[in-house]
Amino acid sequence: MAKFTKKKQGDLPEVSTASLPDIVFMLLFFFMTVTTMKDSELMIKNELPFADQVQTLDKKDRVIYIYAGQPSSRYQDKFGTLPKIQLNDKFANVDEVANYVLAERASKREELQNVLTTALKVDYETNMGLVSDIKQELRKVNALKINYTTRSGSAFENVN
């Protein structure tokens, strides 16, 4: 007759790691497909001015970006050399700024809609008239929290 043996207390079976590489690659492919690398392509010349009192914005999800400057050499044949406004991936007129800000505000979560900051990334050679027109449009939609994006340095470096 066969003799039965009793298992020892405390013996745990080994954990199989055969499926571990499959899980790692599945997670890798998932993050590769859902991660966005860049929001928009810069279609203007955007050399930011210098400022000596610079602060960084902590929460980037609360920022709406508006770019202004001369079209880059790639787009000058089609749009000329006068300073333009870029909203996301297209050139826009001044009167389109208000609708853009309202659309961006509506796309944010409800608790963020009242704390949004509008960041103006304006080329240092752009005239102040265009910036003033943008600010007038922002006032129409009550987007009064404005940030001027700059580079850190002495403000005297802006003078040619």
Side-chain angles (χ1 to χ4, degrees):
M1 289 205 143
K3 189 174 183 184
F4 293 102
T5 58
K6 211 176 196 186
K7 273 190 173 181
K8 294 181 184 176
Q9 291 296 102
D11 273 353
L12 292 176
E14 290 186 24
V15 176
S16 174
T17 58
S19 63
L20 192 60
D22 294 334
I23 295 170
V24 169
F25 283 115
M26 186 173 49
L27 285 172
L28 177 69
F29 289 132
F30 172 76
F31 285 115
M32 285 174 53
T33 55
V34 296
T35 303
T36 58
M37 297 306 250
K38 192 171 160 183
D39 288 337
S40 60
E41 176 189 353
L42 200 57
M43 299 165 45
I44 61 169
K45 179 184 166 195
N46 195 262
E47 192 171 327
L48 299 173
F50 290 98
D52 51 7
Q53 296 180 1
V54 178
Q55 293 179 343
T56 59
L57 292 174
D58 295 332
K59 300 180 178 166
K60 303 285 185 194
D61 62 337
R62 299 178 181 189
V63 181
I64 299 171
Y65 292 101
I66 298 176
Y67 301 92
Q70 181 182 9
S72 62
S73 58
R74 185 171 147 190
Y75 297 100
Q76 283 182 356
D77 294 338
K78 189 174 181 181
F79 296 103
T81 58
L82 292 175
K84 301 279 185 198
I85 300 170
Q86 179 183 342
L87 306 174
N88 286 339
D89 278 338
K90 69 180 189 92
F91 287 117
N93 296 323
V94 175
D95 56 345
E96 297 176 52
V97 171
N99 291 333
Y100 169 73
V101 171
L102 289 175
E104 286 291 314
R105 186 183 294 166
S107 70
K108 303 287 183 181
R109 295 190 318 250
E110 190 172 335
E111 61 268 10
L112 296 180
Q113 289 181 359
N114 293 329
V115 294
L116 290 175
T117 301
T118 305
L120 299 179
K121 289 190 169 189
V122 181
D123 184 56
Y124 80 99
E125 292 181 348
T126 303
N127 59 3
M128 199 59 197
L130 182 61
V131 176
S132 179
D133 292 343
I134 293 171
K135 286 173 57 177
Q136 290 295 333
E137 289 295 312
L138 292 174
R139 285 186 190 127
K140 290 179 184 176
V141 293
N142 202 24
L144 304 177
K145 197 171 179 184
I146 299 174
N147 171 31
Y148 294 98
T149 306
T150 63
R151 292 185 287 174
S152 183
S154 174
F156 292 111
E157 294 179 51
N158 297 324
V159 181
N160 292 333

